[in-house]
Every structure is written in structure tokens, then in C-alpha cells.
Amino acid sequence: MKKPYLTRLTFLAATMFTLALFNCSSDDSNDDNGLSTQESTEIAFNSNMDQTEAAIADLVIGIYETTSAQDVGRVSSTSSNIPDCSTFNISGSSTYREVVINFGDNCNINGHAVTGTLKVSYNRDPNAQQISINYELENFTIDENGVEGAMSILFQRSNGNGNPQFTHNLNLTVNWKNGMTSSRTGQKVREQIEGAGTAIFSDNVYLITGSWTSAFANGNTHNYEVLTALRREASCFYFVSGTVSVKRTLFEGLMDFGSGECDDKAIFTFSNGRIVNISMN
């Protein structure tokens, strides 16, 4: 089905593909803190994976919130904001949904070349307090960087604070076009503090907590734990605030995403006090 009903997802699809690229140097020399160029590059790649993974989750949640309220036979083909270069299909029954977005072999979105398929499926039960949303990336690339994963998000209609909550089980791999491979496992919990029930995804605001591990093909691993909840505003591609602890064998430090501005800047402070400015664009 070409371009069916999916309210206000243009900006979601676009933000998915503002993937920043960091050039990996083969220079293994150390800086004054004992960090190699490779290690510094890994910090940058991890920061980028944060934004990419969060944007994919934005899209999956937006698809769920829109399609779970629609009857399969009443999907409109006239009000979608999905780009013309992609196709969209919803199938299932009164109790089950499968949603497929196919970006084809050469879909240009916001200046970025996108290929492959995103599949989202879930059991539809308006009375259930918890719903498991499953999604899968198939032959999926962004600017020739391959993104792989088959993951799930547990949706709770109301958590202890009375807010909707999404628990994201991570299992994502990025095969960067320069030859680097990185993967991520762990869990992130999104508490929705604004925008619930408005049917407009762009006004959603989340607080994200959790811990995860990023691993590289060369054997290096980075462990992350959110210390101050990350604020995710659906209208912004980047985290606007929050802090994350980063630990690795040879170094550790704190990633700070700022105090509320929507920008591509973060600050990494090593345990010895050295500060590095991180750009994610």
C-alpha cells in the first residue's frame, strides 16, 4: 500500500537519517591521557549510536501509537507524510498488527541515502496494561552504513508515576562504511512525561534511564549507565540534557548532554579532569 495513514511521521523518518559520520584514523598514537586515536573515535561513534538508536525507537513508538488505534480496513492512503520513495503496509486482524515500511534500494530522505525495511508487530489489546512491541531491521542501511537488529519494546500504559513507559531491550549492530563494526546490548527505560494522549507525536517528551554495553570488533567495550535521566524531546534529534557514566579498561568519564538546548553538542569529562567537546553532527 502506497503512503497510508501515519500522522506526523515526516520529521521522525527524517531525523532517523541525520546520522553523523566520524572518520576513524589508523593512527594508534596516544594523547596526554593515554588515549589512542582509536579510543577517542570510539567515544564519538558511541555518542552517534545513542542518537541513531533513540531516533529508531522514536519511529517505532510513533508507528505503534498511530496504527494501534486504526482498523486495518480503514487505513487511509491520502494523509500520510511518509516520503514518496518509500512504501507502507499494515496488515493483521482485530487483535494483531504488522506494519512494514520499505525504503527500497535508493530512498533519499533529508539528503541521506536509505535502503531496506523496518518491520513492527504487536498484539492489539486496548485493555491490556502491557504490550510487547517487536521490530526488526532488514537489509537496512543509512548512507551505506548497515544497521542490524531485532528488538522489543515493552509498553506500559501507566508506571508508578502514572505515566506511560517504554522499556527498550537493545540488540543493535552498526557496520560502518569505513570498516568499523560496533554493537550495543542492554536496556533503556523511557518514561513519557509530556504529550501522552494528544495523538501528536512531535509534542512527546521522555526521560530515559538504563544501562548498556557497546562493543567493537577489535575487542574494546564501553559500559554505560545513566546517572541523570536523559531528556528526549521528539521534536529534537538530540538528547537535550542528562548525564551518562562511561567506563572502559583504560579510562572512564562522564558524558554531559547539556541543560535543555536542542543542539548536537555534548561534553565528555575524563576521570582525570580533561574535557573533550563532542559534536554529533
Side-chain angles (χ1 to χ4, degrees):
M1 182 181 298
K2 184 69 175 179
K3 294 182 63 183
Y5 184 81
L6 195 57
T7 305
R8 295 181 181 272
L9 283 181
T10 290
F11 81 97
L12 287 172
T15 56
M16 270 187 71
F17 313 116
T18 57
L19 186 65
L21 298 180
F22 297 89
N23 293 321
C24 287
S25 170
S26 60
D27 181 5
D28 289 329
S29 60
N30 291 345
D31 62 19
D32 292 340
N33 295 283
L35 289 178
S36 68
T37 303
Q38 179 77 13
E39 290 165 334
S40 298
T41 300
E42 289 173 4
I43 294 173
F45 270 99
N46 273 298
S47 298
N48 182 257
M49 282 189 74
D50 287 337
Q51 313 309 321
T52 302
E53 168 235 302
I56 292 173
D58 285 349
L59 183 57
V60 172
I61 292 169
I63 289 172
Y64 168 76
E65 290 183 341
T66 300
T67 61
S68 62
Q70 304 300 314
D71 292 329
V72 172
R74 294 184 179 180
V75 175
S76 171
S77 61
T78 61
S79 56
S80 172
N81 288 321
I82 292 295
D84 288 338
C85 59
S86 67
T87 58
F88 179 86
N89 185 69
I90 178 172
S91 61
S93 65
S94 60
T95 58
Y96 177 77
R97 289 286 186 273
E98 181 173 272
V99 185
V100 179
I101 297 178
N102 191 327
F103 298 98
D105 295 326
N106 186 24
C107 188
N108 190 288
I109 300 178
N110 200 32
H112 296 265
V114 181
T115 69
T117 302
L118 168 64
K119 293 183 177 180
V120 180
S121 62
Y122 55 90
N123 291 322
R124 183 171 180 256
D125 183 353
N127 298 317
Q129 292 304 302
Q130 295 186 350
I131 296 289
S132 181
I133 307 167
N134 301 304
Y135 69 97
E136 182 177 359
L137 304 171
E138 293 186 354
N139 300 317
F140 196 86
T141 70
I142 303 172
D143 291 334
E144 301 180 1
N145 299 301
V147 186
E148 303 174 5
M151 292 158 277
S152 65
I153 298 175
L154 179 65
F155 168 56
Q156 294 175 257
R157 297 188 188 278
S158 180
N159 65 6
N161 296 325
N163 295 324
Q165 181 169 292
F166 301 85
T167 300
H168 192 181
N169 294 308
L170 306 173
N171 185 14
L172 182 72
T173 299
V174 178
N175 299 305
W176 308 94
K177 66 180 180 181
N178 62 7
M180 177 178 280
T181 296
S182 53
S183 63
R184 175 168 291 180
T185 57
Q187 188 177 86
K188 287 186 178 179
V189 179
R190 289 180 168 222
E191 179 181 10
Q192 186 171 358
I193 61 172
E194 295 181 21
T198 66
I200 302 174
F201 192 81
S202 58
D203 66 2
N204 288 3
V205 178
Y206 305 93
L207 293 180
I208 300 176
T209 57
S211 61
W212 58 93
T213 297
S214 293
F216 293 84
N218 60 11
N220 293 342
T221 60
H222 295 232
N223 296 309
Y224 293 78
E225 182 179 2
V226 176
L227 300 183
T228 305
L230 303 172
R231 184 178 174 92
R232 177 76 181 178
E233 299 178 355
S235 59
C236 179
F237 180 71
Y238 307 100
F239 296 132
V240 300
S241 63
T243 59
V244 179
S245 169
V246 182
K247 294 184 178 180
R248 192 181 177 281
T249 303
L250 298 179
F251 70 86
E252 62 183 74
L254 185 74
M255 184 75 75
D256 188 336
F257 290 96
S259 57
E261 295 297 321
C262 179
D263 57 37
D264 67 341
K265 309 301 181 185
I267 296 174
F268 188 83
T269 303
F270 293 95
S271 56
N272 64 4
R274 183 190 178 208
I275 296 175
V276 176
N277 293 316
I278 302 293
S279 175
M280 293 165 287
N281 191 14

